[in-house]
Amino acid sequence: MKHNGLLYMMIAGIVLGIFSGWMYGSTMLAVGWVGEMFLDALKMLVVPLIISSMIVGIAGLGDVRKVGKTGLIALVYFITTTCIAVGIGLVMVNIIEPGVAVEMTVEQVPEKVAGKEAVGITDILKTFISPNLVQSMVNMDILPLIVFSLVFGGVLTTLGEPGKRAIEFFDTINSAIMKIVHLLMYFAPVGVFALIASKLGAAGGGDLFLAELAKVAKYAGTVISALMIHGLVVLPTILYVTTRRNPFNYFKNVAEALTTAFSTASSSATLPVTIECAEEYNQVSRKSALFVLPLGATVNMDGTALYESVAALFIAQMLGIHLGFGEQMIVFLTATLAAVGAAGIPEAGLVTMVMVLQSVGLPLEGIGMLLSIDWFLDRCRTTVNVWGDSIGAAVVDFLEEKWVERGGRT
Ligand code: ASP
């Protein structure tokens, strides 16, 4: 009951945010600080939450063989759904051809991606390990924290009684952080209202937004419709077929996380809410939620992967460059990798797109054409990213139970 009430308030916050940002434009920048406070409060919880979650998650899975199997199921889910998302993006962009007859008016490499030309696969691999954990915490570089916590938690399980006590310690920290998340959610309706109103205000209000949108309407339409096919058809089908859970109920129970994702454009900042929704409302087991969701928020980004493929082909079409099957396969692969490499922060996908464009020799100037509308599409793809992670938690939870617990220990 309480949960439903909060959800309706959050939806009201979003609607009111859109309305006021649309109508009052830059005046709404005045409420930006409220949104930032909410966002900062969420971010404040992320580092302790990730570390304690991964340690408790891996300890909950028990012996190393189970961890391997659960990890494998998660990996297969992540790869499969990301590939399907990129596939949908490619099919849609080839059918709709949003870039044909659009004139490319930008001639400069946008500041955001300038100097990132040399980012390659090895750079993505390097982000898994950090020479300085404290620095990673300061910069909120999540991936090395996950890797460290996984190894650390795994080692703790081998230390007998003292290891158990250490795990209990992190378990308590985790429960305390989740309590704070719970409290923080009471401020979420106001937070999402302020975030959306001020962002739309910064974009100049409804009229300017519409004018910008109109310039690349076909492109935005392609991204959004492809995201909808993935989010409303593919992912729910996967949930239903593997777990027999009702996708509508699951969606409703995770809606707080989805509205937070839409307002913050950050999977990482949304993570505390995603865990709360999966564990509390959707009854995903604690060990699966704590293991899958931090990983998913960092490496599993269906929406981002889909968007990267559509954007790359859009740029090619604008320039009249025909990409054949082989080149589109390269886009397929690099878009998948670029999504893994993108951090769960606003507009990270825009930066990793450099890799996709370079792989098929497209000019980085093309990214300039996407900028004006990216803040909006970012919110849409982040919502799908979080939805994909949430469903992943349920799928892994179910299959892990089925294959590892009941299926016996091979
Ligand atoms: N903002 C997205 C996220 O946090 C990443 C992206 O830019 O696509 O999931």
Side-chain angles (χ1 to χ4, degrees):
M1 207 45 207
K2 244 183 174 174
H3 161 229
N4 277 349
L6 182 60
L7 179 58
Y8 297 140
M9 298 272 286
M10 285 184 78
I11 294 172
I14 289 201
V15 173
L16 209 63
I18 294 177
F19 176 78
S20 11
W22 193 279
M23 299 301 290
Y24 305 117
S26 54
T27 318
M28 292 317 288
L29 287 173
V31 298
W33 65 276
V34 179
E36 267 165 39
M37 272 182 80
F38 174 63
L39 186 59
D40 286 346
L42 279 173
K43 284 189 186 164
M44 178 177 79
L45 302 175
V46 168
V47 170
L49 184 64
I50 295 244
I51 296 178
S52 59
S53 292
M54 291 317 289
I55 293 174
V56 175
I58 197 138
L61 292 174
D63 73 57
V64 177
R65 280 169 303 174
K66 278 192 193 175
V67 176
K69 278 190 178 175
T70 312
L72 191 70
I73 299 171
L75 198 70
V76 170
Y77 172 84
F78 290 165
I79 294 177
T80 314
T81 50
T82 307
C83 288
I84 296 175
V86 181
I88 294 174
L90 283 177
V91 170
M92 293 295 283
V93 77
N94 276 299
I95 295 176
I96 302 179
E97 298 192 318
V100 172
V102 175
E103 199 192 334
M104 192 162 122
T105 48
V106 179
E107 274 152 23
Q108 271 179 358
V109 176
E111 227 174 87
K112 255 198 178 106
V113 298
K116 302 263 166 33
E117 289 85 347
V119 177
I121 294 177
T122 47
D123 294 289
I124 291 187
L125 287 177
K126 275 180 76 184
T127 59
F128 279 71
I129 307 285
S130 153
N132 185 337
L133 272 187
V134 178
Q135 199 172 31
S136 302
M137 291 184 204
V138 173
N139 297 337
M140 285 196 45
D141 290 336
I142 306 292
L143 214 46
L145 292 182
I146 288 188
V147 172
F148 173 78
S149 310
L150 275 179
V151 176
F152 187 72
V155 169
L156 282 183
T157 59
T158 66
L159 294 184
E161 212 31 61
K164 252 194 193 148
R165 282 201 296 276
I167 291 166
E168 265 166 29
F169 167 77
F170 285 106
D171 202 339
T172 312
I173 290 192
N174 191 270
S175 306
I177 301 278
M178 288 315 292
K179 274 235 158 92
I180 302 179
V181 175
H182 206 81
L183 291 176
L184 185 58
M185 287 317 285
Y186 287 107
F187 298 95
V190 178
V192 298
F193 158 76
L195 280 169
I196 294 202
S198 59
K199 190 70 210 186
L200 200 50
D207 294 339
L208 263 185
F209 170 63
L210 273 190
E212 287 298 339
L213 190 66
K215 284 188 211 153
V216 283
K218 238 178 155 185
Y219 158 69
T222 311
V223 174
I224 292 171
S225 46
L227 284 175
M228 285 175 93
I229 294 176
H230 190 68
L232 298 178
V233 181
V234 175
L235 289 174
T237 307
I238 293 178
L239 176 73
Y240 181 73
V241 169
T242 46
T243 69
R244 296 280 155 202
R245 273 177 179 247
N246 180 333
F248 293 103
N249 288 341
Y250 199 85
F251 181 82
K252 203 177 121 222
N253 289 337
V254 89
E256 271 167 37
L258 302 182
T259 43
T260 309
F262 186 78
S263 323
T264 60
S266 167
S267 308
S268 300
T270 309
L271 181 65
V273 192
T274 320
I275 295 182
E276 158 121 333
C277 289
E279 220 188 300
E280 287 265 322
Y281 310 139
N282 269 327
Q283 271 89 46
V284 171
S285 78
R286 186 152 184 253
K287 60 177 195 272
S288 300
L290 295 187
F291 179 72
V292 176
L293 292 173
L295 267 179
T298 319
V299 297
N300 181 46
M301 297 195 182
D302 297 1
T304 301
L306 181 155
Y307 146 87
E308 307 247 357
S309 63
V310 174
L313 271 269
F314 170 68
I315 291 172
Q317 289 168 355
M318 246 182 336
L319 294 166
I321 299 173
H322 175 74
L323 296 183
F325 181 76
E327 281 157 322
Q328 293 206 19
M329 281 315 285
I330 295 178
V331 171
F332 183 95
L333 284 178
T334 46
T336 308
L337 275 173
V340 173
I345 56 172
E347 300 194 72
L350 208 59
V351 179
T352 57
M353 203 158 67
V354 170
M355 202 173 98
V356 184
L357 295 184
Q358 285 191 329
S359 69
V360 283
L362 291 170
L364 301 188
E365 285 81 354
I367 296 179
M369 287 295 286
L370 319 172
L371 278 183
S372 62
I373 198 69
D374 197 66
W375 67 271
F376 174 67
L377 295 181
D378 188 16
R379 278 146 211 273
C380 302
R381 63 183 188 254
T382 307
T383 309
V384 173
N385 290 346
V386 170
W387 178 223
D389 298 340
S390 304
I391 289 187
V395 169
V396 173
D397 192 36
F398 181 83
L399 295 180
E400 189 250 349
E401 276 272 306
K402 202 167 164 178
W403 289 348
V404 181
E405 310 261 301
R406 263 177 258 148
R409 295 156 186 82
T410 50

